[in-house]
Amino acid sequence: MANRSFTVCEVNDRALSDGGRYLSATPAGAARKAGIRVMRKRGVNSVKICVRETTQGGLGKEHAYRVRRVRVNEEVMRGGVPVLYEYKTVIKAVKH
């Protein structure tokens, strides 16, 4: 599936003038990427993100999601090296 482009139009029901550009095959994937960035910057574990499609020829629809970080502290082996995952990202569609 081809990548589409999205921009963030709202965070926690507050409009943004410059929402950046996120490439993903789905609006949920773009909201996940944007949500992780906002949560790290603000130091919170949950945000409501609204993304709008900006792909050339796209419909420009807006999609809203609740993005949360859940602490897991899970260790997995990658090429014989242990890698520690501190958070798991959970995303759920909500009404805009």
Side-chain angles (χ1 to χ4, degrees), residues 10-22:
E10 291 180 5
V11 175
N12 290 335
D13 295 323
R14 290 190 178 178
L16 292 180
S17 59
D18 181 27
R21 184 169 183 240
Y22 297 91

Side-chain angles (χ1 to χ4, degrees), residues 39-70:
M39 289 185 288
R40 283 182 181 159
K41 184 175 180 179
R42 295 185 181 186
V44 295
N45 288 325
S46 179
V47 293
K48 181 181 175 188
I49 296 276
C50 177
V51 294
R52 180 182 334 105
E53 185 170 7
T54 57
T55 307
Q56 187 173 8
L59 298 177
K61 288 178 65 175
E62 293 185 357
H63 305 271
Y65 298 92
R66 168 68 59 192
V67 184
R68 296 184 303 127
R69 286 194 314 177
V70 179

Side-chain angles (χ1 to χ4, degrees), residues 67-84:
V67 184
R68 296 184 303 127
R69 286 194 314 177
V70 179
R71 188 175 285 279
V72 290
N73 285 330
E74 179 181 319
E75 190 172 300
V76 296
M77 298 297 284
R78 297 271 187 228
V81 178
V83 176
L84 178 66

